[in-house]
Short mmCIF file of all heavy atoms in Angstrom, two decimals:
data_model
loop_
_atom_site.label_atom_id
_atom_site.label_comp_id
_atom_site.label_asym_id
_atom_site.label_seq_id
_atom_site.Cartn_x
_atom_site.Cartn_y
_atom_site.Cartn_z
N GLY A 585 -17.12 17.59 33.00
CA GLY A 585 -17.05 16.12 33.10
C GLY A 585 -18.11 15.57 34.04
O GLY A 585 -18.81 16.32 34.72
N ALA A 586 -18.19 14.24 34.09
CA ALA A 586 -19.22 13.58 34.88
C ALA A 586 -19.14 13.95 36.36
O ALA A 586 -20.15 14.20 37.02
CB ALA A 586 -19.09 12.07 34.71
N GLU A 587 -17.92 14.02 36.88
CA GLU A 587 -17.75 14.33 38.30
C GLU A 587 -18.22 15.74 38.62
O GLU A 587 -18.82 15.98 39.67
CB GLU A 587 -16.26 14.25 38.66
CG GLU A 587 -15.68 12.88 38.49
CD GLU A 587 -15.68 12.11 39.79
OE1 GLU A 587 -15.11 12.62 40.77
OE2 GLU A 587 -16.26 11.01 39.81
N THR A 588 -17.92 16.67 37.71
CA THR A 588 -18.31 18.05 37.95
C THR A 588 -19.84 18.19 37.96
O THR A 588 -20.39 18.96 38.73
CB THR A 588 -17.69 18.98 36.88
OG1 THR A 588 -16.31 18.64 36.77
CG2 THR A 588 -17.83 20.42 37.25
N VAL A 589 -20.48 17.41 37.09
CA VAL A 589 -21.95 17.43 37.09
C VAL A 589 -22.47 17.04 38.47
O VAL A 589 -23.34 17.70 39.04
CB VAL A 589 -22.51 16.46 36.02
CG1 VAL A 589 -24.00 16.24 36.20
CG2 VAL A 589 -22.22 17.00 34.62
N GLU A 590 -21.88 15.99 39.01
CA GLU A 590 -22.29 15.52 40.33
C GLU A 590 -22.07 16.63 41.38
O GLU A 590 -22.94 16.89 42.22
CB GLU A 590 -21.48 14.25 40.67
CG GLU A 590 -21.64 13.71 42.06
CD GLU A 590 -23.03 13.15 42.37
OE1 GLU A 590 -23.83 13.05 41.42
OE2 GLU A 590 -23.31 12.84 43.54
N LEU A 591 -20.93 17.28 41.27
CA LEU A 591 -20.61 18.37 42.20
C LEU A 591 -21.62 19.51 42.07
O LEU A 591 -22.15 20.03 43.06
CB LEU A 591 -19.18 18.86 41.92
CG LEU A 591 -18.65 19.97 42.81
CD1 LEU A 591 -18.44 19.45 44.23
CD2 LEU A 591 -17.30 20.49 42.27
N LEU A 592 -21.89 19.90 40.83
CA LEU A 592 -22.81 21.01 40.59
C LEU A 592 -24.20 20.70 41.15
O LEU A 592 -24.89 21.56 41.68
CB LEU A 592 -22.91 21.32 39.09
CG LEU A 592 -21.65 21.91 38.43
CD1 LEU A 592 -21.81 21.94 36.91
CD2 LEU A 592 -21.38 23.32 38.95
N ARG A 593 -24.59 19.42 40.99
CA ARG A 593 -25.92 19.05 41.49
C ARG A 593 -25.94 19.07 43.03
O ARG A 593 -26.83 19.62 43.65
CB ARG A 593 -26.32 17.67 41.00
CG ARG A 593 -27.76 17.30 41.36
CD ARG A 593 -28.05 15.82 41.24
NE ARG A 593 -27.21 15.03 42.12
CZ ARG A 593 -27.43 14.83 43.42
NH1 ARG A 593 -28.49 15.38 44.00
NH2 ARG A 593 -26.59 14.11 44.14
N LYS A 594 -24.86 18.53 43.61
CA LYS A 594 -24.80 18.50 45.08
C LYS A 594 -24.82 19.92 45.66
O LYS A 594 -25.39 20.16 46.71
CB LYS A 594 -23.51 17.80 45.52
CG LYS A 594 -23.66 16.29 45.61
CD LYS A 594 -22.65 15.73 46.59
CE LYS A 594 -22.70 14.22 46.63
NZ LYS A 594 -21.39 13.62 46.40
N GLU A 595 -24.17 20.84 44.95
CA GLU A 595 -24.11 22.22 45.42
C GLU A 595 -25.42 22.96 45.14
O GLU A 595 -25.54 24.14 45.43
CB GLU A 595 -22.96 22.96 44.74
CG GLU A 595 -21.59 22.41 45.10
CD GLU A 595 -21.16 22.81 46.51
OE1 GLU A 595 -21.63 23.85 47.01
OE2 GLU A 595 -20.38 22.05 47.13
N GLY A 596 -26.33 22.28 44.50
CA GLY A 596 -27.63 22.89 44.24
C GLY A 596 -27.62 23.86 43.06
O GLY A 596 -28.55 24.65 42.89
N LEU A 597 -26.58 23.83 42.23
CA LEU A 597 -26.52 24.77 41.11
C LEU A 597 -27.31 24.29 39.91
O LEU A 597 -27.74 25.09 39.08
CB LEU A 597 -25.06 25.01 40.70
CG LEU A 597 -24.24 25.79 41.73
CD1 LEU A 597 -22.79 25.90 41.30
CD2 LEU A 597 -24.84 27.19 41.92
N ILE A 598 -27.46 22.97 39.77
CA ILE A 598 -28.27 22.45 38.67
C ILE A 598 -29.18 21.32 39.17
O ILE A 598 -28.79 20.52 40.02
CB ILE A 598 -27.41 21.92 37.49
CG1 ILE A 598 -26.35 20.93 37.98
CG2 ILE A 598 -26.74 23.03 36.73
CD1 ILE A 598 -25.57 20.25 36.87
N GLN A 599 -30.37 21.29 38.65
CA GLN A 599 -31.31 20.21 38.94
C GLN A 599 -31.66 19.44 37.68
O GLN A 599 -32.21 18.35 37.72
CB GLN A 599 -32.60 20.80 39.53
CG GLN A 599 -32.58 20.96 41.05
CD GLN A 599 -32.30 19.64 41.76
OE1 GLN A 599 -32.92 18.63 41.46
NE2 GLN A 599 -31.33 19.63 42.67
N ASN A 600 -31.37 20.04 36.52
CA ASN A 600 -31.68 19.41 35.23
C ASN A 600 -30.76 20.00 34.17
O ASN A 600 -30.04 20.96 34.44
CB ASN A 600 -33.14 19.63 34.86
CG ASN A 600 -33.48 21.11 34.89
OD1 ASN A 600 -32.85 21.91 34.22
ND2 ASN A 600 -34.46 21.48 35.71
#
Side-chain angles (χ1 to χ4, degrees):
E587 297 264 304
T588 313
V589 167
E590 173 67 8
L591 181 68
L592 291 170
R593 187 197 60 81
K594 274 205 184 127
E595 295 286 334
L597 291 176
I598 52 174
Q599 271 303 312
N600 54 56

